[in-house]
């Protein structure tokens, strides 16, 4: 049994309760025992003064790629969970595009067991929509949910067949889980490596038009309406998609959406000089898209931030732009990038950001955490929002280094990450377990 | 003024640098007219021609340019080399570097490959065509040929006709021509024009007749036949009817139009033979100038100075 933990005198922010005051937080038996003033320390408690720091529910990332099984040189469940803990995440959701694909209860159970062995940030598996992510036959949602899956997705590729997507949305209702879709019309996007626009024209690279995403977003909300199911739209990147989601929510369709830190902060200009660390799918778009995404996140049209953590071996990105794989790592930079760009710029308050990175992702995928209410699981972080640091990929806990933020001066860091009452990351005592 | 280490494209070059190359090419033209076509300017330099895509004209042109400057050259083609055995571009680069070469001429199907190589090796890198990005020496020889024909580039109206979307020749021409003060237009089916091209300061004609009405020079791009398979246009037959540069269409031009083509030509597809072989065609002059322009680029990147180019060629014939 872990010792009780008393965090004294921090600024406690709990977006789930609209709470934002200086207070103490007591954790006992893996749960939040009390939040209030002058809480006495139980016998044997680990008492820490966190005055001047932020105490908040742990961050939750509902869109992460771990590479186990299949490419353990790039990331394992344990290394991903360690990177997550260091980044202030107490829970992450692992996409099923592993090798083999996580499309059955045994594979889902494997992720759950690896997560338990690591004992770091929680890793919730996401099952595949279709067997082998081939887009043909539905995977067994019921058994996967029984084994611990929290959602289904064929992420990495879209569910191309409208019929299959409709069926998946209907069938997923039975189990109360969302179907998360990577929105991209495969025929429009075929061969594309970056956003279709002026930069792609100049670089001579094949573009992926914004319409490739928007067509699928529009289709998915229509199918969610038809099926009465919950569609979750992954990594939204265009202003047009924002408009479609806004309208769908106004019509009462069960749609939720996420956006990545990089789509909130970078544009296709980052692809200049063929920087393969700016190659991701969906691609970085234009400044007007970034502005629309920020606005949508602020007003809740986009529900949450998810970083689409996508580890790749360093030598895979050391290639011509066409030949490099899509994707970047994000768990260890997500909070600092979002905090520096969104909060310090004045666009968001800190409670608003924590809500979009903790409370809302928990709600969208029906996960524990995202709250400091008494009796809730003690998934807690202590943040130092003013901690200045420079991104050094060689210091990452992730096995991969592919980030466009290398060398970037950022502000904001997780000092302490607590999962179910146990400390899994302690920056000042350098013990990320 | 120098060109820097590499020549990867014209987009980031200054007008002065471009003029320097054209002016340096002038004295080198004469070398190819001699009985003994050789000068010692690059004696002792080793150059690798690294071609990841099939090429005849450009590779031969570079090789002549290198040999006429007395460089030692090696040709590596993608087929049959370690490249086709799965070696990565970065490993190829490191191995070349380990052999202590002086220059690499690279053609590669991926946009940005020349820049990628140039950033990783100390040798000079010359882009002989990278994906859909740039083909700078082709544009330079086009500029030189236009200047020879018209005595100037500034103020001329030049239209690039055809598959601009997939054309590295078009992009390099666009940068070179606009930097030297020409007016530039593109003309082709909308499915073969890149998005946002207007923002690069060019006029867009959807109909060839409008382009002919406007232009002093038509640079007719090659229609790559695989474009039909990928659905960008329905057929060669219809392409020729709508966008073929024919003598019938040119007869209606208000003034004689200079005709260029980077080759290889598809006669009867993008251009008809009477136009290609006609009095206003400078297509073979382009090929001739290609050698001189590439000699100038090699010479300048190797550290040669423009004012000494005349002297450099003067020492020829003594090998």
């Amino acid at each position: 049994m872990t010792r009780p933990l008393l965090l004294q005198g921090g600024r406690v922010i709990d977006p789930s309760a609209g709470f934002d005051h200086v207070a103490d937080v007591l954790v006992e038996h893996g749960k939040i025992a009390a939040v209030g003033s002058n809480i006495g320390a139980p016998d044997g408690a680990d008492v820490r003064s966190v005055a001047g720091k932020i105490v908040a529910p742990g961050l939750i990332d509902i869109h992460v790629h771990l590479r186990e099984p299949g490419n353990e040189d790039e990331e394992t469940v344990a290394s991903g969970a360690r990177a997550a803990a260091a980044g202030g995440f107490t829970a992450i959701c692992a996409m099923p595009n592993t090798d083999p694909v996580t499309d059955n209860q045994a594979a889902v159970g494997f992720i759950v067991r690896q997560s338990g062995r690591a004992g770091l940030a929680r890793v919730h598996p996401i099952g595949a929509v279709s067997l082998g992510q081939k887009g043909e036959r539905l995977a067994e949602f019921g058994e996967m949910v029984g084994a611990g899956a929290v959602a289904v997705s064929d992420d990495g590729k879209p569910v191309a067949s409208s019929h299959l997507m409709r069926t998946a949305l209907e069938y997923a209702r039975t189990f109360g889980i969302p179907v998360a879709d990577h929105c991209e019309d495969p025929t429009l996007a075929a061969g594309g490596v970056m956003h279709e626009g002026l930069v792609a024209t100049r670089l001579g690279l094949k573009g992926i038009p914004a319409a490739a995403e928007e067509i699928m977003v529009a289709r998915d909300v229509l199918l969610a309406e038809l099926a009465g199911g919950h569609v979750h739209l992954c990594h939204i990147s265009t202003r047009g998609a924002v408009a479609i989601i806004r309208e769908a929510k106004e019509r009462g369709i069960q749609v939720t959406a996420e956006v990545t830190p990089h789509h909130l902060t970078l544009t296709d200009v980052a692809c200049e000089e063929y920087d393969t660390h700016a190659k991701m799918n969906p691609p970085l778009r234009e400044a007007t898209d970034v502005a629309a995404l920020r606005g949508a996140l602020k007003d809740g049209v986009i529900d949450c931030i998810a970083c689409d953590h996508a580890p790749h071996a360093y030598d895979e990105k050391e290639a011509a732009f066409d030949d490099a794989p899509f994707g970047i790592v994000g768990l260890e930079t997500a909070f600092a990038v979002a905090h520096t760009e969104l909060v310090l710029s004045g666009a968001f308050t800190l409670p608003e950001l924590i809500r979009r990175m903790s409370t809302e992702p928990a709600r969208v995928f029906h996960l524990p955490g995202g709250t400091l209410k008494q009796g809730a699981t003690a998934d807690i972080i202590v943040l130092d929002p003013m901690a200045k640091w420079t991104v050094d990929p060689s210091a990452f806990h992730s096995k991969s280094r592919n980030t466009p933020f290398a060398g970037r001066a950022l502000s904001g860091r997780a000092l302490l990450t607590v999962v179910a009452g146990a400390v899994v990351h302690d920056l000042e005592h350098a013990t990320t377990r | 003024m120098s060109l820097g280490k590499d020549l990867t494209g014209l987009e980031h070059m200054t007008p002065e640098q471009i003029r320097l190359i054209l002016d340096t090419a002038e004295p080198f033209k004469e070398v190819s007219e001699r009985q003994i076509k050789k000068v010692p300017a690059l004696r002792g330099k080793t150059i690798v021609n690294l071609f990841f895509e099939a090429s005849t004209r450009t590779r031969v042109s570079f090789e002549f340019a290198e040999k006429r400057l007395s460089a030692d050259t090696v040709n590596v083609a993608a087929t049959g080399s370690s490249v086709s055995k799965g070696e990565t571009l970065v490993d190829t680069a490191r191995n070349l570097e380990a052999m202590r070469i002086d220059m690499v001429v690279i053609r590669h199907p991926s946009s940005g490959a020349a820049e990628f190589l140039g950033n990783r090796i100390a040798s000079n890198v010359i882009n002989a065509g990278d994906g859909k990005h740039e083909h700078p020496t082709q544009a330079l020889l086009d500029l030189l040929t236009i200047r020879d024909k018209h005595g100037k580039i500034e103020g001329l109206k030049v239209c690039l006709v055809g598959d601009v979307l997939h054309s590295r020749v078009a992009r390099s021409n666009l940068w070179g021509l606009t930097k030297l003060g020409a007016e530039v237009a593109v003309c082709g089916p909308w499915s073969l024009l890149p998005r946002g091209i207007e923002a690069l300061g060019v006029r867009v004609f959807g109909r060839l007749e409008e382009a002919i009405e406007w232009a002093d020079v038509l640079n007719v791009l090659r229609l790559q036949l695989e474009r039909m398979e990928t659905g960008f246009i329905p057929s060669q037959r219809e392409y020729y009817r709508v966008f073929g540069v024919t003598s019938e269409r040119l007869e209606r031009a208000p003034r004689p139009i200079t005709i260029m083509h980077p080759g290889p030509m598809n006669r009867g597809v993008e251009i008809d033979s009477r136009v290609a072989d006609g009095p206003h065609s400078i297509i073979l002059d382009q090929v001739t100038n290609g050698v001189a322009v590439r000699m100038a680029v090699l010479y300048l990147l190797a550290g040669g100075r423009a004012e000494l180019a005349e002297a450099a060629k003067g020492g020829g014939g003594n090998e």
Side-chain angles (χ1 to χ4, degrees):
Chain A
M1 199 69 238
T2 51
R3 294 162 69 194
L5 173 67
L6 180 62
L7 301 170
Q8 289 182 318
R11 175 182 165 196
V12 178
I13 297 175
D14 179 6
S16 77
F19 187 91
D20 182 1
H21 300 287
V22 173
D24 300 340
V25 176
L26 176 66
V27 172
E28 282 185 302
H29 310 299
K31 299 202 182 307
I32 296 177
V35 177
S37 308
N38 302 317
I39 299 175
D43 288 346
D46 177 358
V47 181
R48 299 181 185 227
S49 169
V50 291
K53 306 295 189 285
I54 307 295
V55 180
L59 307 180
I60 296 173
D61 194 321
I62 59 173
H63 189 145
V64 167
H65 298 271
L66 306 179
R67 302 302 188 192
E68 185 179 3
N71 288 291
E72 290 85 351
D73 59 317
E74 295 177 347
E75 200 80 285
T76 60
V77 171
S79 68
R82 188 174 294 113
F89 291 91
T90 52
I92 55 178
C93 298
M95 281 293 178
N97 61 335
T98 47
D99 182 15
V101 171
T102 307
D103 61 0
N104 61 74
Q105 60 177 338
V108 168
F110 172 73
I111 305 292
V112 172
R113 281 197 306 283
Q114 292 298 76
S115 169
R117 272 193 203 115
L120 297 156
R122 300 169 196 268
V123 181
H124 300 291
I126 298 171
V129 169
S130 62
L131 289 176
Q133 293 192 308
K134 291 196 177 115
E136 292 161 7
R137 292 178 51 210
L138 281 187
E140 291 160 335
F141 295 1
E143 288 188 347
M144 291 195 294
V145 168
V150 295
V152 288
S153 180
D154 274 356
D155 184 69
K157 42 189 158 182
V159 178
S161 156
S162 299
H163 169 71
L164 185 74
M165 186 64 182
R166 174 207 176 148
T167 313
L169 285 162
E170 288 170 339
Y171 193 60
R173 284 182 72 180
T174 314
F175 309 102
I177 54 166
V179 180
D181 200 20
H182 170 125
C183 295
E184 180 181 42
D185 179 309
T187 60
L188 269 181
V193 294
M194 67 172 292
H195 172 62
E196 182 176 309
L198 194 53
V199 179
T201 292
R202 284 180 29 233
L203 293 176
L205 292 172
K206 185 161 186 343
I208 300 173
E213 175 167 315
E214 291 151 9
I215 284 168
M216 280 307 222
V217 167
R219 183 205 70 167
D220 282 356
V221 300
L222 292 172
L223 291 178
E225 184 173 39
L226 175 66
H230 173 188
V231 69
H232 176 74
L233 306 173
C234 298
H235 41 52
I236 290 303
S237 72
T238 79
R239 56 189 188 271
V242 166
I244 296 165
I245 298 165
R246 188 184 303 276
E247 198 246 5
K249 286 194 166 184
E250 282 165 7
R251 281 166 54 201
I253 298 169
Q254 242 195 104
V255 53
T256 54
E258 69 190 34
V259 61
T260 70
H262 44 279
H263 288 109
L264 289 167
T265 55
L266 299 173
T267 66
D268 59 349
V269 172
C271 300
E272 296 266 12
E273 295 170 13
Y274 301 96
D275 183 354
T276 58
H277 287 134
K279 180 177 176 181
M280 60 277 286
N281 188 5
L284 298 171
R285 303 286 185 184
E286 299 172 7
T288 44
D289 297 299
V290 170
L293 293 168
R294 288 182 178 202
L297 184 70
K298 174 95 176 168
D299 63 23
V301 168
I302 291 176
D303 298 81
C304 63
I305 293 177
C307 73
D308 193 9
H309 180 83
H312 290 292
Y314 76 94
D315 54 347
E316 283 191 285
K317 283 284 193 180
E318 184 76 359
F321 203 89
D322 280 338
D323 303 329
F326 290 106
I328 59 167
V329 293
L331 285 169
E332 291 170 81
T333 51
F335 175 74
V337 166
H339 180 258
T340 305
E341 295 278 337
L342 301 182
V343 177
L344 295 187
S345 69
F348 283 65
T349 65
L350 188 53
E352 280 176 325
L353 179 63
I354 290 168
R355 178 166 176 213
R356 299 290 167 206
M357 295 186 79
S358 176
T359 309
E360 289 300 311
R363 181 184 61 78
V364 166
F365 272 18
H366 317 296
L367 304 174
T371 178
L372 297 177
K373 283 183 183 142
Q374 193 177 359
T377 182
D379 289 7
I380 300 176
I381 49 173
V382 177
L383 298 168
D384 181 353
M386 300 326 287
K388 302 266 187 289
W389 63 292
T390 301
V391 179
D392 171 12
S394 70
F396 282 171
H397 296 276
S398 168
K399 287 194 170 188
S400 292
R401 310 272 178 264
N402 47 311
T403 174
F405 296 111
R408 187 75 81 97
L410 298 175
S411 176
R413 253 192 143 165
L415 298 179
L416 197 69
T417 305
V418 176
V419 175
V423 173
V424 296
H425 162 75
D426 185 345
L427 184 70
E428 284 168 344
H429 301 90
T431 55
T432 296
R433 259 175 44 202
Chain B
M1 180 173 46
S2 85
L3 300 185
K5 183 173 89 68
D6 305 324
L7 180 74
T8 55
L10 299 192
E11 181 180 358
H12 300 294
M13 289 179 79
T14 64
E16 293 70 29
Q17 286 174 316
I18 294 170
R19 280 192 207 99
L20 173 72
I21 296 170
L22 302 185
D23 294 345
T24 307
E26 289 294 346
F28 283 128
K29 282 182 187 170
E30 187 263 336
V31 172
S32 298
E33 305 300 330
R34 295 182 189 174
Q35 279 294 321
I36 297 172
K37 301 176 175 55
K38 212 171 184 76
V39 296
L42 294 189
R43 193 157 57 187
K45 298 278 185 190
T46 47
I47 303 179
V48 176
N49 298 312
L50 186 58
F51 278 66
F52 292 83
E53 268 185 354
S55 162
T56 304
R57 186 179 331 253
T58 302
R59 188 180 54 75
V60 169
S61 180
F62 265 109
E63 201 174 340
F64 275 134
E66 291 154 4
K67 293 202 157 127
R68 287 174 190 177
L69 291 169
S70 305
D72 296 314
T73 69
V74 176
N75 293 324
V76 180
T79 48
S81 71
S82 55
V83 172
S84 62
K85 296 171 192 158
E87 186 174 81
T88 63
L89 186 53
V90 68
D91 281 335
T92 304
R94 286 182 187 142
N95 280 281
L96 290 173
E97 189 80 336
M99 286 184 249
R100 305 289 182 264
I101 54 162
D102 297 296
M103 291 188 175
V104 182
V105 176
I106 179 176
R107 165 166 292 190
H108 198 281
S110 298
S111 299
E115 200 169 316
F116 178 91
L117 192 67
N119 290 339
R120 280 160 185 80
I121 64 176
S123 318
N124 305 108
V125 172
I126 299 169
N127 183 3
D130 63 326
K132 296 174 290 188
H133 177 226
E134 287 221 36
H135 190 351
T137 57
Q138 176 69 45
L140 289 164
L141 72 88
D142 290 344
L143 291 169
L144 185 63
T145 314
I146 292 172
R147 196 170 79 170
D148 286 352
K149 168 83 177 178
H150 289 269
K152 61 168 187 175
I153 290 168
E154 192 172 355
L156 282 180
K157 294 174 173 170
V158 182
C159 184
L160 301 156
V161 181
D163 182 3
V164 179
L165 180 64
H166 299 98
S167 175
R168 52 197 175 209
V169 174
R171 281 174 182 72
S172 286
N173 259 278
L174 191 160
W175 298 121
L177 287 163
T178 50
K179 281 173 198 283
L180 296 193
E183 284 185 64
V184 182
V186 296
C187 173
W190 287 102
S191 55
L192 289 175
L193 298 178
R195 290 236 309 194
I197 187 97
E198 303 89 339
L200 300 181
V202 306
R203 195 184 286 259
V204 180
F205 293 115
R207 306 276 308 173
L208 184 56
E209 290 75 11
E210 297 165 5
I212 287 171
E213 175 81 26
W214 174 84
D216 299 310
V217 178
L218 291 186
N219 196 342
V220 185
L221 302 170
R222 170 181 167 75
L223 184 74
Q224 292 179 355
L225 303 181
E226 65 265 27
R227 300 305 169 215
M228 261 78 68
E229 293 152 31
T230 41
F232 286 93
I233 53 166
S235 68
Q236 285 185 41
R237 199 185 59 78
E238 180 164 286
Y239 186 84
Y240 181 68
R241 288 191 65 153
V242 183
F243 288 99
V245 177
T246 61
S247 47
E248 289 76 17
R249 284 203 166 94
L250 289 177
E251 275 161 19
R252 290 185 218 117
R255 59 186 98 70
I257 297 184
T258 301
I259 300 297
M260 307 175 75
H261 192 298
M265 275 187 285
N266 299 305
R267 290 171 182 261
V269 181
E270 69 265 6
I271 192 167
D272 88 14
S273 287
R274 278 177 296 165
V275 173
D277 302 331
H280 301 296
S281 164
I282 55 171
I283 293 171
L284 291 174
D285 301 314
Q286 292 174 265
V287 179
T288 305
N289 277 341
V291 178
V293 156
R294 289 174 177 123
M295 287 170 80
V297 168
L298 292 161
Y299 174 76
L300 290 168
L301 285 181
R305 299 217 303 276
E307 60 273 25
L308 297 180
E310 191 72 37
K313 76 162 202 184
N318 301 324
E319 290 295 287

